Short mmCIF file of all heavy atoms in Angstrom, two decimals:
data_model
loop_
_atom_site.label_atom_id
_atom_site.label_comp_id
_atom_site.label_asym_id
_atom_site.label_seq_id
_atom_site.Cartn_x
_atom_site.Cartn_y
_atom_site.Cartn_z
N PRO B 127 158.45 57.67 59.99
CA PRO B 127 158.33 56.84 61.18
C PRO B 127 156.90 56.38 61.46
O PRO B 127 156.69 55.52 62.30
CB PRO B 127 158.82 57.76 62.30
CG PRO B 127 159.60 58.81 61.63
CD PRO B 127 158.98 58.99 60.28
N PHE B 203 167.98 58.61 65.26
CA PHE B 203 167.60 59.93 65.76
C PHE B 203 166.10 60.03 66.00
O PHE B 203 165.66 60.74 66.87
CB PHE B 203 168.02 61.00 64.76
CG PHE B 203 169.42 61.46 64.94
CD1 PHE B 203 170.47 60.72 64.43
CD2 PHE B 203 169.70 62.62 65.65
CE1 PHE B 203 171.78 61.12 64.62
CE2 PHE B 203 171.00 63.02 65.83
CZ PHE B 203 172.04 62.27 65.32
N GLU B 204 165.36 59.30 65.20
CA GLU B 204 163.91 59.44 65.27
C GLU B 204 163.26 58.35 66.09
O GLU B 204 162.09 58.45 66.44
CB GLU B 204 163.34 59.44 63.85
CG GLU B 204 163.85 60.61 63.03
CD GLU B 204 163.77 60.33 61.55
OE1 GLU B 204 163.44 59.19 61.20
OE2 GLU B 204 164.03 61.25 60.76
N GLN B 207 160.98 58.42 69.29
CA GLN B 207 159.56 58.72 69.14
C GLN B 207 158.79 57.49 68.67
O GLN B 207 157.58 57.41 68.82
CB GLN B 207 159.36 59.85 68.12
CG GLN B 207 160.19 61.06 68.43
CD GLN B 207 160.80 61.62 67.17
OE1 GLN B 207 160.39 61.33 66.07
NE2 GLN B 207 161.81 62.47 67.34
N ASP B 238 190.55 68.06 72.76
CA ASP B 238 190.33 69.24 73.60
C ASP B 238 189.70 68.82 74.93
O ASP B 238 188.58 68.30 74.96
CB ASP B 238 189.40 70.21 72.85
CG ASP B 238 189.25 71.53 73.58
OD1 ASP B 238 189.53 71.58 74.80
OD2 ASP B 238 188.87 72.52 72.94
N GLU B 240 188.46 70.53 77.15
CA GLU B 240 187.31 71.34 77.59
C GLU B 240 186.00 70.69 77.20
O GLU B 240 184.93 71.06 77.69
CB GLU B 240 187.39 72.74 76.97
CG GLU B 240 188.63 73.51 77.38
CD GLU B 240 188.30 74.97 77.65
OE1 GLU B 240 187.10 75.31 77.68
OE2 GLU B 240 189.25 75.76 77.82
N LEU B 241 186.08 69.72 76.29
CA LEU B 241 184.87 69.04 75.82
C LEU B 241 184.71 67.73 76.56
O LEU B 241 185.51 66.82 76.41
CB LEU B 241 184.98 68.77 74.32
CG LEU B 241 185.45 69.95 73.44
CD1 LEU B 241 185.68 69.47 72.00
CD2 LEU B 241 184.45 71.09 73.49
N ASP B 242 183.66 67.63 77.38
CA ASP B 242 183.50 66.38 78.11
C ASP B 242 182.98 65.27 77.19
O ASP B 242 182.52 65.52 76.08
CB ASP B 242 182.61 66.56 79.34
CG ASP B 242 181.22 67.01 78.98
OD1 ASP B 242 180.37 66.13 78.76
OD2 ASP B 242 181.00 68.24 78.90
N GLU B 244 180.41 63.20 77.01
CA GLU B 244 179.06 63.18 76.46
C GLU B 244 178.88 64.21 75.35
O GLU B 244 178.18 63.96 74.37
CB GLU B 244 178.01 63.46 77.56
CG GLU B 244 177.51 62.20 78.23
CD GLU B 244 178.13 62.05 79.60
OE1 GLU B 244 178.87 62.97 80.02
OE2 GLU B 244 177.90 61.00 80.24
N TRP B 245 179.49 65.35 75.51
CA TRP B 245 179.36 66.36 74.48
C TRP B 245 179.99 65.88 73.18
O TRP B 245 179.44 66.05 72.09
CB TRP B 245 179.99 67.68 74.92
CG TRP B 245 180.04 68.67 73.81
CD1 TRP B 245 181.13 69.05 73.09
CD2 TRP B 245 178.93 69.40 73.25
NE1 TRP B 245 180.78 69.96 72.12
CE2 TRP B 245 179.44 70.18 72.20
CE3 TRP B 245 177.56 69.44 73.54
CZ2 TRP B 245 178.61 71.03 71.42
CZ3 TRP B 245 176.74 70.27 72.78
CH2 TRP B 245 177.27 71.05 71.74
N ASN B 248 177.63 63.41 71.54
CA ASN B 248 176.55 64.13 70.85
C ASN B 248 177.04 64.78 69.58
O ASN B 248 176.38 64.77 68.54
CB ASN B 248 175.96 65.21 71.77
CG ASN B 248 175.09 64.61 72.86
OD1 ASN B 248 174.83 63.41 72.87
ND2 ASN B 248 174.67 65.45 73.79
N LEU B 249 178.21 65.37 69.67
CA LEU B 249 178.79 66.07 68.53
C LEU B 249 178.99 65.12 67.35
O LEU B 249 178.61 65.42 66.22
CB LEU B 249 180.12 66.70 68.94
CG LEU B 249 180.91 67.41 67.84
CD1 LEU B 249 180.13 68.59 67.31
CD2 LEU B 249 182.28 67.83 68.35
N SER B 252 175.71 64.17 65.80
CA SER B 252 175.15 65.31 65.08
C SER B 252 175.82 65.53 63.75
O SER B 252 175.17 65.77 62.73
CB SER B 252 175.30 66.59 65.89
OG SER B 252 174.50 66.51 67.03
N LEU B 253 177.13 65.43 63.76
CA LEU B 253 177.87 65.63 62.51
C LEU B 253 177.49 64.56 61.50
O LEU B 253 177.34 64.84 60.31
CB LEU B 253 179.38 65.61 62.78
CG LEU B 253 179.92 66.85 63.48
CD1 LEU B 253 181.43 66.70 63.73
CD2 LEU B 253 179.65 68.10 62.66
N SER B 256 174.18 65.43 60.15
CA SER B 256 174.36 66.56 59.23
C SER B 256 174.90 66.09 57.89
O SER B 256 174.45 66.54 56.83
CB SER B 256 175.32 67.59 59.80
OG SER B 256 174.75 68.20 60.93
N ALA B 257 175.86 65.20 57.96
CA ALA B 257 176.48 64.72 56.73
C ALA B 257 175.44 64.04 55.84
O ALA B 257 175.39 64.28 54.64
CB ALA B 257 177.62 63.76 57.05
N ALA B 259 172.18 64.50 55.98
CA ALA B 259 171.25 65.53 55.54
C ALA B 259 171.85 66.30 54.37
O ALA B 259 171.16 66.67 53.42
CB ALA B 259 170.93 66.48 56.70
N HIS B 260 173.16 66.51 54.46
CA HIS B 260 173.85 67.27 53.42
C HIS B 260 173.76 66.56 52.07
O HIS B 260 173.60 67.20 51.03
CB HIS B 260 175.32 67.48 53.80
CG HIS B 260 176.02 68.53 53.01
ND1 HIS B 260 175.59 69.84 52.97
CD2 HIS B 260 177.10 68.48 52.21
CE1 HIS B 260 176.39 70.53 52.19
NE2 HIS B 260 177.31 69.72 51.70
N THR B 263 169.80 67.25 51.08
CA THR B 263 169.36 68.61 50.76
C THR B 263 170.26 69.28 49.73
O THR B 263 169.78 69.87 48.78
CB THR B 263 169.33 69.49 52.03
OG1 THR B 263 170.66 69.61 52.54
CG2 THR B 263 168.45 68.87 53.10
N ALA B 264 171.58 69.18 49.94
CA ALA B 264 172.48 69.87 49.02
C ALA B 264 172.86 68.96 47.85
O ALA B 264 173.59 69.37 46.95
CB ALA B 264 173.73 70.34 49.76
N LEU B 274 183.68 66.76 54.46
CA LEU B 274 183.31 67.92 55.27
C LEU B 274 183.13 67.51 56.72
O LEU B 274 183.58 68.21 57.64
CB LEU B 274 182.00 68.52 54.75
CG LEU B 274 182.11 69.40 53.51
CD1 LEU B 274 180.73 69.72 52.96
CD2 LEU B 274 182.85 70.68 53.85
N CYS B 275 182.49 66.40 56.92
CA CYS B 275 182.22 65.90 58.27
C CYS B 275 183.53 65.68 59.04
O CYS B 275 183.69 66.17 60.16
CB CYS B 275 181.43 64.61 58.16
SG CYS B 275 181.00 63.85 59.73
N HIS B 277 186.53 66.81 58.29
CA HIS B 277 187.27 68.08 58.39
C HIS B 277 186.76 68.87 59.60
O HIS B 277 187.56 69.38 60.40
CB HIS B 277 187.03 68.87 57.09
CG HIS B 277 187.77 70.16 57.01
ND1 HIS B 277 189.15 70.21 56.95
CD2 HIS B 277 187.33 71.44 56.98
CE1 HIS B 277 189.51 71.49 56.87
NE2 HIS B 277 188.44 72.24 56.89
N THR B 278 185.45 68.93 59.73
CA THR B 278 184.85 69.67 60.83
C THR B 278 185.13 69.01 62.18
O THR B 278 185.50 69.68 63.15
CB THR B 278 183.33 69.79 60.63
OG1 THR B 278 183.07 70.35 59.34
CG2 THR B 278 182.71 70.66 61.71
N LYS B 281 188.76 69.63 63.38
CA LYS B 281 188.99 70.96 63.95
C LYS B 281 188.26 71.14 65.28
O LYS B 281 188.78 71.78 66.21
CB LYS B 281 188.54 72.03 62.96
CG LYS B 281 189.42 72.08 61.71
CD LYS B 281 189.35 73.44 61.04
CE LYS B 281 187.93 73.84 60.71
NZ LYS B 281 187.88 75.17 60.09
N ALA B 282 187.07 70.58 65.37
CA ALA B 282 186.26 70.80 66.57
C ALA B 282 186.86 70.14 67.81
O ALA B 282 186.75 70.70 68.90
CB ALA B 282 184.84 70.28 66.34
N ILE B 283 187.46 68.97 67.63
CA ILE B 283 187.97 68.29 68.83
C ILE B 283 189.45 68.56 69.09
O ILE B 283 189.96 68.20 70.15
CB ILE B 283 187.74 66.76 68.76
CG1 ILE B 283 188.54 66.14 67.61
CG2 ILE B 283 186.28 66.45 68.64
CD1 ILE B 283 188.39 64.62 67.55
N ALA B 284 190.12 69.20 68.13
CA ALA B 284 191.53 69.52 68.37
C ALA B 284 191.66 70.45 69.56
O ALA B 284 190.82 71.32 69.76
CB ALA B 284 192.12 70.16 67.12
N PRO B 285 192.70 70.28 70.36
CA PRO B 285 192.89 71.10 71.56
C PRO B 285 193.07 72.58 71.20
O PRO B 285 193.50 72.88 70.10
CB PRO B 285 194.17 70.56 72.18
CG PRO B 285 194.37 69.21 71.57
CD PRO B 285 193.79 69.30 70.19
N PRO A 1233 155.73 63.63 68.89
CA PRO A 1233 155.10 64.14 67.67
C PRO A 1233 153.78 63.44 67.32
O PRO A 1233 153.06 63.92 66.48
CB PRO A 1233 156.14 63.85 66.59
CG PRO A 1233 157.42 63.67 67.31
CD PRO A 1233 157.05 63.08 68.63
N GLU A 1310 162.02 67.46 64.00
CA GLU A 1310 161.11 66.32 63.89
C GLU A 1310 159.88 66.63 63.05
O GLU A 1310 159.16 65.73 62.65
CB GLU A 1310 160.68 65.89 65.29
CG GLU A 1310 161.86 65.41 66.12
CD GLU A 1310 161.58 65.52 67.60
OE1 GLU A 1310 160.54 66.07 67.96
OE2 GLU A 1310 162.41 65.06 68.40
N GLN A 1313 158.43 65.14 59.61
CA GLN A 1313 157.61 63.94 59.64
C GLN A 1313 156.18 64.25 60.06
O GLN A 1313 155.28 63.47 59.81
CB GLN A 1313 158.20 62.94 60.63
CG GLN A 1313 159.65 62.65 60.37
CD GLN A 1313 160.43 62.60 61.66
OE1 GLN A 1313 159.87 62.43 62.73
NE2 GLN A 1313 161.73 62.75 61.56
N ASP A 1344 186.17 79.44 57.59
CA ASP A 1344 186.90 78.48 56.75
C ASP A 1344 186.21 78.34 55.39
O ASP A 1344 185.06 77.90 55.30
CB ASP A 1344 186.91 77.13 57.47
CG ASP A 1344 187.79 76.10 56.75
OD1 ASP A 1344 188.06 76.29 55.57
OD2 ASP A 1344 188.18 75.12 57.41
N GLU A 1346 186.65 76.30 53.16
CA GLU A 1346 186.45 74.93 52.68
C GLU A 1346 185.04 74.44 53.00
O GLU A 1346 184.59 73.43 52.49
CB GLU A 1346 187.47 73.99 53.33
CG GLU A 1346 188.91 74.33 52.99
CD GLU A 1346 189.72 73.06 52.76
OE1 GLU A 1346 189.12 71.97 52.69
OE2 GLU A 1346 190.95 73.18 52.65
N LEU A 1347 184.38 75.18 53.90
CA LEU A 1347 183.04 74.77 54.31
C LEU A 1347 182.01 75.58 53.53
O LEU A 1347 181.91 76.79 53.72
CB LEU A 1347 182.86 75.02 55.81
CG LEU A 1347 183.98 74.51 56.73
CD1 LEU A 1347 183.73 74.97 58.16
CD2 LEU A 1347 184.10 73.00 56.66
N ASP A 1348 181.25 74.92 52.68
CA ASP A 1348 180.27 75.69 51.92
C ASP A 1348 179.07 76.08 52.78
O ASP A 1348 178.87 75.54 53.87
CB ASP A 1348 179.83 74.94 50.65
CG ASP A 1348 179.16 73.63 50.96
OD1 ASP A 1348 177.93 73.65 51.12
OD2 ASP A 1348 179.87 72.61 51.03
N GLU A 1350 175.78 75.69 52.81
CA GLU A 1350 174.79 74.72 53.29
C GLU A 1350 175.35 73.85 54.42
O GLU A 1350 174.64 73.51 55.36
CB GLU A 1350 174.31 73.80 52.15
CG GLU A 1350 173.10 74.33 51.43
CD GLU A 1350 173.49 74.93 50.10
OE1 GLU A 1350 174.68 74.82 49.74
OE2 GLU A 1350 172.62 75.52 49.43
N TRP A 1351 176.61 73.51 54.29
CA TRP A 1351 177.20 72.70 55.35
C TRP A 1351 177.25 73.47 56.66
O TRP A 1351 176.94 72.93 57.73
CB TRP A 1351 178.61 72.23 54.97
CG TRP A 1351 179.30 71.54 56.10
CD1 TRP A 1351 180.29 72.03 56.88
CD2 TRP A 1351 179.00 70.23 56.61
NE1 TRP A 1351 180.65 71.13 57.84
CE2 TRP A 1351 179.87 70.00 57.70
CE3 TRP A 1351 178.09 69.24 56.26
CZ2 TRP A 1351 179.85 68.82 58.44
CZ3 TRP A 1351 178.07 68.06 57.00
CH2 TRP A 1351 178.94 67.86 58.07
N ASN A 1354 173.77 73.47 58.16
CA ASN A 1354 173.49 72.19 58.80
C ASN A 1354 174.24 72.05 60.12
O ASN A 1354 173.72 71.58 61.12
CB ASN A 1354 173.89 71.03 57.88
CG ASN A 1354 172.90 70.83 56.75
OD1 ASN A 1354 171.86 71.47 56.73
ND2 ASN A 1354 173.24 69.95 55.82
N LEU A 1355 175.48 72.50 60.08
CA LEU A 1355 176.33 72.39 61.26
C LEU A 1355 175.75 73.17 62.44
O LEU A 1355 175.67 72.66 63.56
CB LEU A 1355 177.73 72.91 60.93
CG LEU A 1355 178.73 72.96 62.08
CD1 LEU A 1355 179.02 71.56 62.60
CD2 LEU A 1355 180.03 73.64 61.62
N SER A 1358 172.72 71.47 63.83
CA SER A 1358 173.10 70.25 64.54
C SER A 1358 173.67 70.56 65.90
O SER A 1358 173.35 69.90 66.89
CB SER A 1358 174.15 69.48 63.75
OG SER A 1358 173.61 68.99 62.57
N LEU A 1359 174.52 71.57 65.94
CA LEU A 1359 175.13 71.93 67.22
C LEU A 1359 174.06 72.38 68.21
O LEU A 1359 174.11 72.05 69.39
CB LEU A 1359 176.18 73.02 67.02
CG LEU A 1359 177.48 72.56 66.36
CD1 LEU A 1359 178.42 73.75 66.17
CD2 LEU A 1359 178.15 71.47 67.19
N TYR A 1361 170.94 71.47 68.22
CA TYR A 1361 170.21 70.29 68.65
C TYR A 1361 171.02 69.52 69.69
O TYR A 1361 170.49 69.10 70.73
CB TYR A 1361 169.91 69.39 67.46
CG TYR A 1361 169.06 68.21 67.80
CD1 TYR A 1361 167.68 68.32 67.89
CD2 TYR A 1361 169.63 66.96 68.05
CE1 TYR A 1361 166.88 67.25 68.22
CE2 TYR A 1361 168.84 65.87 68.39
CZ TYR A 1361 167.47 66.02 68.47
OH TYR A 1361 166.69 64.95 68.81
N SER A 1362 172.32 69.40 69.42
CA SER A 1362 173.20 68.71 70.37
C SER A 1362 173.18 69.40 71.73
O SER A 1362 173.15 68.75 72.77
CB SER A 1362 174.63 68.68 69.86
OG SER A 1362 174.72 67.86 68.72
N ALA A 1363 173.23 70.71 71.68
CA ALA A 1363 173.27 71.47 72.93
C ALA A 1363 172.02 71.19 73.77
O ALA A 1363 172.11 70.94 74.97
CB ALA A 1363 173.39 72.96 72.64
N ALA A 1365 170.07 68.54 73.48
CA ALA A 1365 170.13 67.14 73.90
C ALA A 1365 171.05 67.01 75.11
O ALA A 1365 170.78 66.24 76.02
CB ALA A 1365 170.63 66.27 72.75
N HIS A 1366 172.13 67.81 75.09
CA HIS A 1366 173.11 67.75 76.17
C HIS A 1366 172.48 68.15 77.51
O HIS A 1366 172.78 67.56 78.55
CB HIS A 1366 174.28 68.67 75.85
CG HIS A 1366 175.49 68.40 76.69
ND1 HIS A 1366 176.12 67.19 76.75
CD2 HIS A 1366 176.19 69.21 77.53
CE1 HIS A 1366 177.14 67.25 77.58
NE2 HIS A 1366 177.21 68.47 78.07
N THR A 1369 170.13 64.83 78.31
CA THR A 1369 170.80 63.57 78.64
C THR A 1369 171.84 63.71 79.73
O THR A 1369 171.88 62.94 80.67
CB THR A 1369 171.45 62.95 77.40
OG1 THR A 1369 172.47 63.82 76.94
CG2 THR A 1369 170.43 62.76 76.28
N ALA A 1370 172.71 64.72 79.58
CA ALA A 1370 173.79 64.88 80.55
C ALA A 1370 173.36 65.76 81.71
O ALA A 1370 174.12 65.99 82.64
CB ALA A 1370 175.03 65.45 79.86
N LEU A 1380 179.66 75.13 75.56
CA LEU A 1380 180.25 74.06 74.76
C LEU A 1380 179.91 74.25 73.28
O LEU A 1380 180.76 74.10 72.39
CB LEU A 1380 179.74 72.70 75.22
CG LEU A 1380 180.38 72.13 76.48
CD1 LEU A 1380 179.60 70.91 76.97
CD2 LEU A 1380 181.83 71.77 76.20
N CYS A 1381 178.66 74.58 73.04
CA CYS A 1381 178.18 74.76 71.67
C CYS A 1381 178.97 75.85 70.96
O CYS A 1381 179.48 75.65 69.85
CB CYS A 1381 176.69 75.10 71.72
SG CYS A 1381 175.92 75.33 70.11
N HIS A 1383 181.85 77.20 71.85
CA HIS A 1383 183.26 76.83 71.81
C HIS A 1383 183.53 75.95 70.59
O HIS A 1383 184.48 76.17 69.84
CB HIS A 1383 183.60 76.08 73.11
CG HIS A 1383 185.04 75.71 73.25
ND1 HIS A 1383 186.04 76.65 73.38
CD2 HIS A 1383 185.64 74.50 73.27
CE1 HIS A 1383 187.20 76.02 73.49
NE2 HIS A 1383 186.98 74.72 73.41
N THR A 1384 182.66 74.97 70.41
CA THR A 1384 182.82 74.04 69.30
C THR A 1384 182.61 74.73 67.95
O THR A 1384 183.38 74.54 67.01
CB THR A 1384 181.82 72.87 69.43
OG1 THR A 1384 181.99 72.26 70.71
CG2 THR A 1384 182.05 71.84 68.34
N LYS A 1387 185.62 76.89 66.91
CA LYS A 1387 186.76 76.14 66.38
C LYS A 1387 186.44 75.52 65.02
O LYS A 1387 187.30 75.45 64.14
CB LYS A 1387 187.16 75.04 67.37
CG LYS A 1387 187.74 75.62 68.66
CD LYS A 1387 188.63 74.61 69.35
CE LYS A 1387 187.91 73.33 69.62
NZ LYS A 1387 188.80 72.33 70.26
N ALA A 1388 185.20 75.07 64.88
CA ALA A 1388 184.84 74.36 63.65
C ALA A 1388 184.86 75.26 62.43
O ALA A 1388 185.24 74.83 61.34
CB ALA A 1388 183.46 73.72 63.81
N ILE A 1389 184.43 76.50 62.59
CA ILE A 1389 184.35 77.37 61.41
C ILE A 1389 185.59 78.25 61.23
O ILE A 1389 185.74 78.87 60.19
CB ILE A 1389 183.10 78.28 61.44
CG1 ILE A 1389 183.16 79.27 62.60
CG2 ILE A 1389 181.83 77.45 61.49
CD1 ILE A 1389 181.98 80.23 62.60
N ALA A 1390 186.46 78.25 62.22
CA ALA A 1390 187.68 79.06 62.07
C ALA A 1390 188.50 78.51 60.89
O ALA A 1390 188.54 77.31 60.67
CB ALA A 1390 188.50 79.00 63.34
N PRO A 1391 189.14 79.40 60.13
CA PRO A 1391 189.92 78.98 58.95
C PRO A 1391 191.08 78.06 59.35
O PRO A 1391 191.56 78.15 60.47
CB PRO A 1391 190.45 80.29 58.37
CG PRO A 1391 189.58 81.35 58.95
CD PRO A 1391 189.20 80.87 60.31
#
Side-chain angles (χ1 to χ4, degrees):
Chain B
F203 274 81
E204 298 157 353
Q207 307 138 17
D238 187 340
E240 298 221 9
L241 313 173
D242 61 90
E244 270 104 4
W245 172 255
N248 286 353
L249 177 63
S252 293
L253 287 178
S256 293
H260 196 59
T263 64
L274 281 170
C275 180
H277 183 66
T278 305
K281 292 204 305 178
I283 65 177
Chain A
E1310 297 157 354
Q1313 307 138 20
D1344 187 340
E1346 298 220 10
L1347 312 174
D1348 62 89
E1350 270 103 5
W1351 173 255
N1354 285 353
L1355 177 63
S1358 293
L1359 287 178
Y1361 185 82
S1362 292
H1366 196 58
T1369 64
L1380 281 169
C1381 181
H1383 183 66
T1384 305
K1387 292 204 304 178
I1389 65 177

